[in-house]
Amino acid sequence: MNGETKCVFVIAMEKEALPLLKFIDIEEDYSYCAKHVISGKLFNRPVSVVICGVGKVNAGCGAQIAVDLLKADTVVNLGVAGGLNSGLKIGEIYAISEVVQYDFDLTQLNGTEIGTLDECDKNYLPLTLLNTSFMAKRCATGDRFNDSKDDYSLLTQTLKADVRDMELGAIAQTCMHAGVKCLAFKIISDLAGSGSTTEQYLKNLTQCFTTLERNLKELTDKIYG
């Protein structure tokens, strides 16, 4: 790649990846460890995509493939996510500044804050932020998709998170150990307190994907510098 950024997008679902794949001139398309891997050119830059599957274990595996197989020096997580406060808007893209795993709890054993990994002394993991037009927000990751009031209280009152998803925390943890930059951009598909999370998610997907397509060139230019 002649010194260019080796960028790999790690995305949970095929449908989330489609707005990106529309703009890629595909050169390779194969399965590796049951993960869908695509490589080619995105706006004339070398790029790969790993469609990892939903949840933290899948996401960690996808990120490790990006690092070990695809030799990424930059891993980018794209996808839809839930908004946790009125400061976010449906269909808008937000850059993620840091992420915590809200379903990871060693409080009783280590006396640390909820979400603090055993190998860390803080619960939020920092991500790389670029100079983009997208507002920076904090994300909480967990293997749950629900409307739980207890989870909402934990996410908003204890962790002060703005966004929730099911993958980013594991991707960031993998990148931290590999010494690879991790970036994330989330498009809001549903807002807490605005009705059923599932119904909002299904209703707003098309709007989210349209937003991603419209902003993809700017994102690509910033990622590759």
Side-chain angles (χ1 to χ4, degrees):
M1 293 187 184
N2 300 321
E4 290 188 82
T5 297
K6 297 177 182 177
C7 176
V8 180
F9 289 86
V10 178
I11 300 174
M13 295 182 288
E14 294 277 350
K15 59 186 175 183
E16 288 181 295
L18 283 176
L20 173 64
L21 295 179
K22 285 183 181 181
F23 293 89
I24 294 179
D25 296 320
I26 296 175
E27 298 169 356
E28 293 183 290
D29 188 330
Y30 58 96
S31 179
Y32 184 84
C33 293
K35 308 301 181 193
H36 188 185
V37 180
I38 303 102
S39 292
K41 294 290 180 63
L42 175 63
F43 302 116
N44 294 316
R45 279 104 160 200
V47 70
S48 294
V49 180
V50 180
I51 301 171
C52 63
V54 174
K56 294 200 300 180
V57 173
N58 278 324
C61 290
Q64 200 66 56
I65 289 171
V67 171
D68 287 342
L69 178 69
L70 302 170
K71 308 302 181 186
D73 56 34
T74 300
V75 171
V76 183
N77 177 225
L78 280 183
V80 297
L84 295 170
N85 57 60
S86 59
L88 292 92
K89 296 181 180 179
I90 295 289
E92 291 292 316
I93 298 179
Y94 296 91
I96 303 301
S97 59
E98 52 187 347
V99 63
V100 62
Q101 296 179 49
Y102 70 90
D103 59 354
F104 189 94
D105 188 359
L106 289 180
T107 302
Q108 186 171 310
L109 181 65
N110 290 345
T112 50
E113 293 182 286
I114 192 164
T116 305
L117 304 172
D118 193 43
E119 63 269 34
C120 296
D121 56 11
K122 296 180 180 180
N123 58 356
Y124 270 94
L125 301 180
L127 275 66
T128 299
L129 269 180
L130 303 177
N131 183 22
T132 70
S133 61
F134 310 112
M135 292 181 63
K137 298 294 180 180
R138 307 208 310 176
C139 181
T141 296
D143 277 329
R144 296 198 284 271
F145 187 100
N146 60 32
D147 290 310
S148 164
K149 292 181 179 179
D150 288 339
D151 276 358
Y152 179 72
S153 177
L154 168 64
L155 291 164
T156 58
Q157 296 181 28
T158 302
L159 295 171
K160 310 298 183 185
D162 304 295
V163 177
R164 67 182 291 183
D165 84 332
M166 297 180 67
E167 289 82 31
L168 179 55
I171 294 170
Q173 183 179 356
T174 302
C175 290
M176 174 185 69
H177 288 301
V180 169
K181 287 194 296 185
C182 182
L183 293 79
F185 300 92
K186 296 295 183 179
I187 309 106
I188 302 302
S189 60
D190 53 272
L191 282 175
S194 298
S196 165
T197 297
T198 302
E199 290 178 5
Q200 290 184 75
Y201 168 82
L202 295 173
K203 176 184 176 183
N204 296 321
L205 276 181
T206 298
Q207 181 183 351
C208 291
F209 296 158
T210 299
T211 300
L212 178 55
E213 289 184 30
R214 187 173 63 247
N215 290 277
L216 189 57
K217 182 62 165 59
E218 177 189 348
L219 276 176
T220 303
D221 289 344
K222 293 294 185 179
I223 290 167
Y224 284 84

